[in-house]
Short mmCIF file of all heavy atoms in Angstrom, two decimals:
data_model
loop_
_atom_site.label_atom_id
_atom_site.label_comp_id
_atom_site.label_asym_id
_atom_site.label_seq_id
_atom_site.Cartn_x
_atom_site.Cartn_y
_atom_site.Cartn_z
N GLY A 341 171.78 -46.97 22.28
CA GLY A 341 173.17 -46.87 22.68
C GLY A 341 173.83 -45.59 22.23
O GLY A 341 175.03 -45.39 22.45
N ARG A 342 173.06 -44.69 21.61
CA ARG A 342 173.64 -43.41 21.17
C ARG A 342 174.14 -42.62 22.39
O ARG A 342 175.18 -41.98 22.33
CB ARG A 342 172.60 -42.60 20.40
CG ARG A 342 173.09 -41.23 19.95
CD ARG A 342 172.10 -40.57 19.00
NE ARG A 342 172.56 -39.23 18.64
CZ ARG A 342 172.08 -38.12 19.18
NH1 ARG A 342 171.13 -38.18 20.10
NH2 ARG A 342 172.53 -36.95 18.80
N VAL A 343 173.38 -42.67 23.46
CA VAL A 343 173.81 -42.08 24.73
C VAL A 343 174.18 -43.24 25.64
O VAL A 343 173.36 -44.12 25.90
CB VAL A 343 172.69 -41.23 25.36
CG1 VAL A 343 173.06 -40.82 26.77
CG2 VAL A 343 172.44 -39.98 24.50
N GLU A 344 175.41 -43.25 26.10
CA GLU A 344 175.94 -44.42 26.81
C GLU A 344 176.56 -44.02 28.14
O GLU A 344 177.34 -43.07 28.22
CB GLU A 344 176.99 -45.11 25.93
CG GLU A 344 177.45 -46.44 26.43
CD GLU A 344 178.43 -47.10 25.46
OE1 GLU A 344 178.77 -46.50 24.43
OE2 GLU A 344 178.84 -48.24 25.75
N PHE A 345 176.19 -44.74 29.17
CA PHE A 345 176.77 -44.49 30.49
C PHE A 345 178.24 -44.88 30.51
O PHE A 345 178.63 -45.92 29.98
CB PHE A 345 176.05 -45.30 31.57
CG PHE A 345 174.69 -44.78 31.92
CD1 PHE A 345 173.54 -45.42 31.47
CD2 PHE A 345 174.56 -43.65 32.70
CE1 PHE A 345 172.29 -44.94 31.80
CE2 PHE A 345 173.30 -43.16 33.04
CZ PHE A 345 172.16 -43.80 32.58
N ILE A 346 179.06 -44.04 31.14
CA ILE A 346 180.44 -44.41 31.40
C ILE A 346 180.44 -45.33 32.61
O ILE A 346 179.89 -45.00 33.66
CB ILE A 346 181.31 -43.18 31.66
CG1 ILE A 346 181.60 -42.46 30.33
CG2 ILE A 346 182.62 -43.56 32.33
CD1 ILE A 346 182.50 -41.27 30.45
N ASN A 347 181.03 -46.50 32.45
CA ASN A 347 181.05 -47.50 33.51
C ASN A 347 182.43 -47.64 34.13
O ASN A 347 183.44 -47.25 33.54
CB ASN A 347 180.61 -48.86 32.96
CG ASN A 347 179.18 -48.86 32.48
OD1 ASN A 347 178.35 -48.10 32.97
ND2 ASN A 347 178.89 -49.69 31.49
N GLU A 348 182.45 -48.24 35.29
CA GLU A 348 183.71 -48.60 35.92
C GLU A 348 184.43 -49.62 35.05
O GLU A 348 183.82 -50.56 34.53
CB GLU A 348 183.41 -49.20 37.30
CG GLU A 348 184.63 -49.68 38.05
CD GLU A 348 184.24 -50.32 39.37
OE1 GLU A 348 183.04 -50.49 39.63
OE2 GLU A 348 185.16 -50.66 40.13
N LEU A 349 185.72 -49.44 34.87
CA LEU A 349 186.50 -50.38 34.06
C LEU A 349 186.86 -51.61 34.88
O LEU A 349 187.13 -51.51 36.08
CB LEU A 349 187.78 -49.72 33.55
CG LEU A 349 187.60 -48.59 32.55
CD1 LEU A 349 188.91 -47.88 32.30
CD2 LEU A 349 187.01 -49.12 31.24
N PRO A 350 186.88 -52.79 34.24
CA PRO A 350 187.26 -54.01 34.96
C PRO A 350 188.75 -54.01 35.26
O PRO A 350 189.54 -53.31 34.63
CB PRO A 350 186.88 -55.11 33.98
CG PRO A 350 187.01 -54.47 32.64
CD PRO A 350 186.57 -53.05 32.83
N ARG A 351 189.11 -54.85 36.20
CA ARG A 351 190.53 -55.02 36.50
C ARG A 351 191.24 -55.59 35.28
O ARG A 351 190.65 -56.30 34.48
CB ARG A 351 190.72 -55.99 37.68
CG ARG A 351 190.00 -55.58 38.95
CD ARG A 351 190.10 -56.71 39.98
NE ARG A 351 189.20 -56.50 41.09
CZ ARG A 351 189.56 -55.91 42.22
NH1 ARG A 351 190.78 -55.46 42.36
NH2 ARG A 351 188.68 -55.75 43.20
N GLY A 352 192.52 -55.28 35.16
CA GLY A 352 193.28 -55.84 34.06
C GLY A 352 194.00 -54.79 33.25
O GLY A 352 194.34 -53.72 33.74
N ALA A 353 194.18 -55.08 31.96
CA ALA A 353 195.00 -54.23 31.11
C ALA A 353 194.31 -52.94 30.71
O ALA A 353 194.97 -51.92 30.49
CB ALA A 353 195.40 -55.01 29.85
N ALA A 354 192.97 -52.96 30.60
CA ALA A 354 192.25 -51.79 30.07
C ALA A 354 192.52 -50.52 30.87
O ALA A 354 192.82 -49.48 30.28
CB ALA A 354 190.77 -52.08 29.98
N PRO A 355 192.40 -50.54 32.21
CA PRO A 355 192.67 -49.30 32.95
C PRO A 355 194.06 -48.75 32.70
O PRO A 355 194.24 -47.54 32.57
CB PRO A 355 192.49 -49.73 34.41
CG PRO A 355 191.57 -50.91 34.36
CD PRO A 355 191.96 -51.62 33.10
N ARG A 356 195.04 -49.63 32.60
CA ARG A 356 196.41 -49.16 32.36
C ARG A 356 196.55 -48.55 30.97
O ARG A 356 197.28 -47.57 30.78
CB ARG A 356 197.39 -50.33 32.54
CG ARG A 356 197.47 -50.84 33.98
CD ARG A 356 198.63 -51.80 34.15
NE ARG A 356 198.46 -53.02 33.40
CZ ARG A 356 197.80 -54.10 33.83
NH1 ARG A 356 197.24 -54.08 35.04
NH2 ARG A 356 197.72 -55.19 33.08
N LEU A 357 195.83 -49.11 29.99
CA LEU A 357 195.90 -48.57 28.64
C LEU A 357 195.24 -47.20 28.57
O LEU A 357 195.76 -46.28 27.94
CB LEU A 357 195.24 -49.54 27.65
CG LEU A 357 195.37 -49.18 26.16
CD1 LEU A 357 196.81 -48.85 25.79
CD2 LEU A 357 194.85 -50.33 25.31
#
Side-chain angles (χ1 to χ4, degrees):
R342 178 171 177 259
V343 170
E344 189 176 3
F345 286 105
I346 285 183
N347 296 331
E348 177 183 6
L349 293 171
R351 303 172 192 266
R356 294 191 294 274
L357 186 49

